[in-house]
Each structure stands twice: as structure tokens, then as C-alpha cells.
Amino acid sequence: MIILGVDPGTLTTGFSIVEFSRGRTTLLACDVIRNRSSRSMPLRLKTIYDALCDAIDRYRPDEFAIETAFYGKNAQSALKLGHARGVSILAAVNRQLPTAEYSPREVKKAVVGNGAASKEQVRYMLKSRMQLATLPKLFDATDALAVALCHLQCTTERRSDGRTKRSESWKAFAVNNPERVIRQK
Amino acid sequence: MIILGVDPGTLTTGFSIVEFSRGRTTLLACDVIRNRSSRSMPLRLKTIYDALCDAIDRYRPDEFAIETAFYGKNAQSALKLGHARGVSILAAVNRQLPTAEYSPREVKKAVVGNGAASKEQVRYMLKSRMQLATLPKLFDATDALAVALCHLQCTTERRSDGRTKRSESWKAFAVNNPERVIRQK
């Protein structure tokens, strides 16, 4: 299984591609798509879209994962981020990839085991887990790697849950087994 | 000259196509792209992108115009709007259309002559200027028509300015005629 993780931005979009095969996770790509600030927004969006389509065509990922945006930013920043997110998601959908979103907290919890971990802790764990000598310097690239690994972990956990028929919660159990729910009269 | 105007939104995206030829403006299309609220964001974005690409392929516009977003909204609304704007602009760029942006105030000023005009006033002027028996009910479609007409007006004004060599402002005059600017020593 190959996963494309993306951390979008109008100036720098990080992307990372990881492959999980026979119990081993391999890093295929971890880089950034750069846009000059002098470039117009329409051309920046095309650069992001084209580069992600190229990466998809090259590495043929099976699924796509992206971080949910941080709503604390002001409306103008959120609008700009929305442009970059929109074209990133479109690249995935236009290449028929299933898409998933994870909050920064979910990503940190999956990678470090602590939803409030610092960026440096996330980088340390990525380097250790992927057994890499060096990591890309830019946080955008490693954030993309983190969201790809988070999705990989969630997907493999869901699959193993499916095999063992273990429900995640009572609510999920009730939904999946309606005949076993006794309703009070 | 044919212009595509767009008023983007994740649930309803208005679009309008107008043709200006031999001093006459004709409405070729004025409609909305609808998305059900139950549809996922990735599929909504694909619907908007595909429908705009279809409209471009069908009517072959020369240029694309869109309203600048209203920054007063909260960050979450701005983020969603950003997704729809991003893929709308991308549709234009991927079809090699020059793009332009206008603020709501510029659009109202161009259509009604008053930047603070109400939506009803804008609709009244659109109906009158385009000599239409009826207008589409949805504001998203007529807002798209308004931005297309605003762009048409700005473009034709710029062209006639070019012919008469009339500069819009002292600043533009100074930029266009650097040899006539006397600098103080």
C-alpha cells in the first residue's frame, strides 16, 4: 500500500509518499513544492496541482491524506490555505484516490503517541521510525510525512480491527449489530 | 470577446457567460452548479471543477473573472470558500484563461454605479442592461453575471483608454511616461 500525505500552503506545499509492504514502511518521496511570493495566486495553484498530479502519476499511491486546517488563523489566511487545500484534494480526486483528513492532534498522537507533542518531537520520531540518517529540513515536508504515516497507521489498525471483528466503541458495536440492541418499551 | 464570471461556493457556485460583439452584450449562460450538503468536500470540489471546465469547453470564453472573497466571514467559512475559489480559478488556469478579481464594491460600482448598492438593485440593473424578460432566481447566478459584466466594462474601458492614450491617474501617467517625470535633486 502506497500513501501520499500532503501539507498544503500557497507558498510551500509539503508532500510525502510512503509504501507499506510486508510489515515494512519505506519512504519513497519527501519534498516541497515551492512557489515564489511574486507569482500570482492562479499560477501558484496550478504549480501545486500539476506537481501533485506528477507525483501521483510517478509513485501511483493508493490513498491520499491531508491535515485538517487549523481554524484559529484569521479569515484571510484561512482563505489562502483553502485555495491550496482545494487544489491538493482535487489532484487526488481527479486521479481517483480515496482521501482522508486528520487533525494535527490525531497526527501527533499517531506518530509520537501524544497529541500535544512539539514539532521537534514529531521530527525525532519520524527519523527514528523511518530509520533515516537525515530528514528534510523543511517542516512542511516532514508534516506531510507525519500525516501519511498517521493515515497508514489508522488504515492498518482499521483493517486488523476488521479481521478480529473488534468494534472500536459501544456506539460502533450498536450500529454494526442492530439486532443485538434491546430497546426499552 | 466572451467572459466567464464565477461566484464560488462549496454548495452553490454561480457562473455566467457573456459575449460582447459589435457593441452589443449577449448572455450565453447564467446558471448554478449545485452540490448536495451530504456530498463529501472532495466530490463537491470535483463537481465544481468539472462543470466549469465543461462550460469553458462549450462556450470558449476568452477571459475569467471572480469576486474577491469577503474577509469578514469567520475562518472556517473562509476556508471552505477558499476550496471552491481555488478549484474555480484552477479550472480557468488549466484552460489557459487570463483571470481577474474584483471586490464586491467594484462589481456593484460597475453594474449599478454605486459601490454600496443592494443585491436587489444589482439584479434590477442586470435585467435592464441585458434586456432580459426574467433573471435566474438564485443570487449566485446573478452575482456571477454581475462580475462578468464588471470585467467586461473594465476591459473595454482599459482598451478605449489605450486608444485615446488617457491615463487613469497621475500615478499611472508617471509609470507609463517615466521620461516626463522631473526628479528633484
Side-chain angles (χ1 to χ4, degrees), chain A residues 169-183:
Chain A
S169 65
W170 282 112
K171 192 177 173 187
F173 179 85
V175 168
N176 294 329
N177 303 277
E179 76 286 356
R180 297 186 65 181
V181 177
I182 302 166
R183 296 193 189 283

Side-chain angles (χ1 to χ4, degrees), chain B residues 7-89:
Chain B
D7 180 40
T10 52
L11 288 176
T12 314
T13 288
F15 72 97
S16 184
I17 298 171
V18 292
E19 180 171 24
F20 181 72
S21 176
R22 299 178 191 177
R24 193 181 156 80
T25 310
T26 315
L27 182 62
L28 302 183
C30 191
D31 208 344
V32 292
I33 303 156
R34 285 176 196 275
N35 266 305
R36 288 191 305 276
S37 59
S38 58
R39 190 173 282 171
S40 70
M41 180 62 82
L43 288 182
R44 289 191 214 172
L45 299 180
K46 182 166 171 58
T47 305
I48 297 168
Y49 179 81
D50 287 350
L52 288 180
C53 286
D54 284 349
I56 294 170
D57 293 342
R58 183 170 176 191
Y59 295 101
R60 304 268 168 199
D62 302 292
E63 299 193 4
F64 168 97
I66 193 167
E67 258 194 24
T68 52
F70 176 47
Y71 292 135
K73 290 184 180 177
N74 70 47
Q76 194 166 350
S77 307
L79 184 84
K80 282 186 189 171
L81 177 59
H83 286 85
R85 286 192 97 239
V87 298
S88 301
I89 294 170

